[in-house]
Amino acid sequence: MTGFGTVTRLDPRRTDAVVFDADGVLTDSLPLRTAAWRDTLHAFTAQYARVTGETRPPLDASADLPAHLASLLDEDIAAALLHPPSHRIDLATCHLGPAEADLRRILARHEDQRFMELLDSEGLEARPGVHQALLDLRGAGVAVGAFSSSGHCGSMLHRAGLDQLVEVFVDAEDTKHYGLAGPPSPALLQLLLRLLHTRPERAALFADTPAVLEAGERSGFALIIAVDHHDQERARLLSDREPLVHDLGRTEEKAGRPMPLGL
């Protein structure tokens, strides 16, 4: 496929599996993760104020968790939020006791718990066109895998009604279990390919963040498609990516021929 927003052709004769970012492409979990981080950091700054007597202004969630951080593991997000350009490293220096490495773990644990509370209370929907796209892939004999940088990929897929359409998934729990790094490291995607019994040269990847796209390149995927969801920030981040498409909006099929997956 070439061109912005056109049809991507996936040939089932050459493609054994397609891998999707569950956080951004199959669902949009960024609002929930942003809210979870906002609540976590608000609680943290409130505790800071109680201990030091110094107040900090309310945190801007849109600035504190931009789209490019969404694909990182929680501890990596915590590290990014405690350092410039956020300029909150002072909050981690001795006032509340733990060293910064311990503080990252504390914040990540709190955010993880809050994310699950929000997932339970607010739910999560599949992005438009996703159900049909996955049905078409499965109908063409192409395996479907998913991954998430959070530890709750299974819960996310279940709440979005996608758990029966995704054969294998991996998430942050696997990085802990196997001692793997998160994106842009290729380790998590490589694990998913092994679980799908698929070689990277027979697989395609759909992702919406630079870190995951880089992980896909380092994994050797035959086809890597960037998805911008008509979002200006993502479009800016992904402007140098080709192919670049809008969403999983429509599908077409020619019997016995390469299947165009409208993305």
Side-chain angles (χ1 to χ4, degrees):
M1 175 217 133
T2 59
F4 186 70
T6 59
V7 171
T8 298
R9 291 187 176 273
L10 293 177
D11 189 344
R13 297 167 299 185
R14 299 180 179 178
T15 307
D16 295 330
V18 179
V19 170
F20 295 92
D21 184 343
D23 291 303
V25 177
L26 297 183
T27 73
D28 183 12
S29 65
L30 182 60
L32 294 184
R33 295 194 81 187
T34 298
W37 274 110
R38 181 196 61 220
D39 295 347
T40 294
L41 294 172
H42 279 190
F44 179 58
T45 51
Q47 176 68 4
Y48 175 90
R50 286 193 293 270
V51 171
T52 66
E54 301 178 23
T55 60
R56 289 291 185 270
L59 302 173
D60 180 358
S62 63
D64 292 330
L65 190 61
H68 75 275
L69 292 183
S71 61
L72 303 183
L73 300 178
D74 284 336
E75 285 193 34
D76 295 332
I77 292 176
L81 296 179
L82 289 169
H83 283 278
S86 297
H87 300 296
R88 279 195 292 277
I89 191 60
D90 62 312
L91 303 184
T93 55
C94 303
H95 294 299
L96 300 181
E100 189 186 341
D102 295 326
L103 180 59
R104 290 199 301 266
R105 286 189 285 272
I106 292 169
L107 293 176
R109 256 195 325 269
H110 189 288
E111 186 278 337
D112 185 73
Q113 294 171 354
R114 183 60 181 144
F115 177 77
M116 274 306 297
E117 292 171 356
L118 292 170
L119 189 61
D120 288 337
S121 62
E122 299 187 19
L124 189 65
E125 295 184 356
R127 284 191 180 274
V130 164
H131 283 94
Q132 189 59 53
L134 299 192
L135 283 169
D136 287 348
L137 287 170
R138 296 293 299 271
V142 178
V144 174
F147 67 94
S148 171
S149 295
S150 80
H152 306 290
C153 190
S155 297
M156 291 166 54
L157 294 173
H158 176 70
R159 283 163 176 76
L162 301 174
D163 47 330
Q164 299 302 311
L165 297 175
V166 175
E167 297 174 50
V168 180
F169 69 83
V170 294
D171 60 21
E173 291 301 311
D174 294 290
T175 66
K176 297 175 185 176
H177 181 77
Y178 294 104
L180 306 175
S185 165
L188 194 59
L189 291 179
Q190 290 171 343
L191 172 63
L192 181 53
L193 288 173
R194 288 197 296 272
L195 294 175
L196 286 166
H197 306 290
T198 302
R199 303 191 309 276
E201 60 268 24
R202 300 277 304 178
L205 169 68
F206 289 84
D208 67 341
T209 62
V212 175
L213 292 165
E214 180 181 341
E217 291 170 350
R218 295 170 64 183
S219 299
F221 277 82
L223 178 62
I224 301 174
I225 301 98
V227 187
D228 75 352
H229 313 297
H230 300 275
D231 178 85
Q232 289 185 349
E233 181 183 357
R234 281 192 174 92
R236 178 181 58 79
L237 290 171
L238 305 175
S239 60
D240 62 340
R241 297 286 177 170
E242 176 66 29
L244 176 66
V245 297
H246 291 313
D247 51 43
L248 300 177
R250 60 190 176 86
T251 58
E252 302 170 7
E253 186 172 359
K254 298 179 181 178
R257 297 288 186 273
M259 180 180 65
L261 187 63
L263 302 164

